[in-house]
Amino acid sequence: MKKILINLLTFMIVVAIIIILFLSLGSEEGARYVYKGNKTHQAVRIKPKEYQCSECNMDVEKLEYAAQVITENGDTYFFDDIGCVVLWLENHKFPVITILTQTLDSHKWIDAKKAWYSRIAHDPMGYGFAAVEVKKEGLVNYDEMRTLMLQGKNLHDPFVKKKLLAEP
């Protein structure tokens, strides 16, 4: 009987140590993907690594490529790349009020549907899409960028990459 109690006590101590280790590894808040209560539907000011991308779970680190999706009820979802927004929206069908993206040229948050997109940017996910506010030759609009992204015609495709990055 004494041996069983000692084995049970040892087992309980080991389990308690494992639980304590797991709890100490996580951050106090855990992963942060959404900001609640954005009733103004304006861009939420964030710092690098403050939020994780709602699609790929990477830290939103390079803010010049960041995007935000704001829902009707004020939930704001964060993304490290506009390509992740396109993929995420395909799987989340609820009322979206605004899609905002940072721009490389003006460094402002603007309506993603009014932005123009490079196809050869060095964005965090490597899709090649990055938003600018002022239209220039060779850029595509939101709808074309979205279509290209959903068709896989981005820099992840070696044929597209070779064509777009070929030197004249």
Side-chain angles (χ1 to χ4, degrees), residues 52-101:
Q52 285 76 44
C53 178
S54 294
E55 173 65 19
C56 72
N57 300 318
M58 285 178 44
D59 284 338
V60 179
E61 187 171 354
K62 294 182 177 181
L63 297 183
E64 62 270 23
Y65 297 101
Q68 299 180 19
V69 171
I70 306 168
T71 65
E72 190 173 62
N73 68 356
D75 290 346
T76 303
Y77 295 87
F78 301 94
F79 300 87
D80 63 336
D81 190 293
I82 193 68
C84 285
V85 171
V86 171
L87 297 174
W88 188 82
L89 287 172
E90 280 299 297
N91 296 313
H92 296 83
K93 306 289 185 191
F94 45 79
V96 171
I97 294 292
T98 308
I99 304 169
L100 299 171
T101 186

Side-chain angles (χ1 to χ4, degrees), residues 52-166:
Q52 285 76 44
C53 178
S54 294
E55 173 65 19
C56 72
N57 300 318
M58 285 178 44
D59 284 338
V60 179
E61 187 171 354
K62 294 182 177 181
L63 297 183
E64 62 270 23
Y65 297 101
Q68 299 180 19
V69 171
I70 306 168
T71 65
E72 190 173 62
N73 68 356
D75 290 346
T76 303
Y77 295 87
F78 301 94
F79 300 87
D80 63 336
D81 190 293
I82 193 68
C84 285
V85 171
V86 171
L87 297 174
W88 188 82
L89 287 172
E90 280 299 297
N91 296 313
H92 296 83
K93 306 289 185 191
F94 45 79
V96 171
I97 294 292
T98 308
I99 304 169
L100 299 171
T101 186
Q102 273 276 17
T103 58
L104 293 177
D105 56 349
S106 64
H107 307 286
K108 295 190 299 190
W109 289 101
I110 67 167
D111 182 335
K113 293 183 178 184
K114 294 180 181 176
W116 297 93
Y117 295 90
S118 165
R119 294 193 61 200
I120 57 171
H122 297 289
D123 58 305
M125 293 303 294
Y127 298 125
F129 299 114
V132 296
E133 191 170 14
V134 178
K135 182 180 180 182
K136 294 179 185 168
E137 188 178 332
L139 301 179
V140 296
N141 65 27
Y142 177 85
D143 291 328
E144 189 172 350
M145 177 276 299
R146 180 183 175 280
T147 299
L148 291 167
M149 185 64 202
L150 292 175
Q151 292 174 343
K153 293 180 180 176
N154 55 58
L155 293 184
H156 284 194
D157 180 322
F159 297 108
V160 171
K161 186 174 186 173
K162 183 177 180 179
K163 180 182 175 189
L164 291 176
L165 299 179

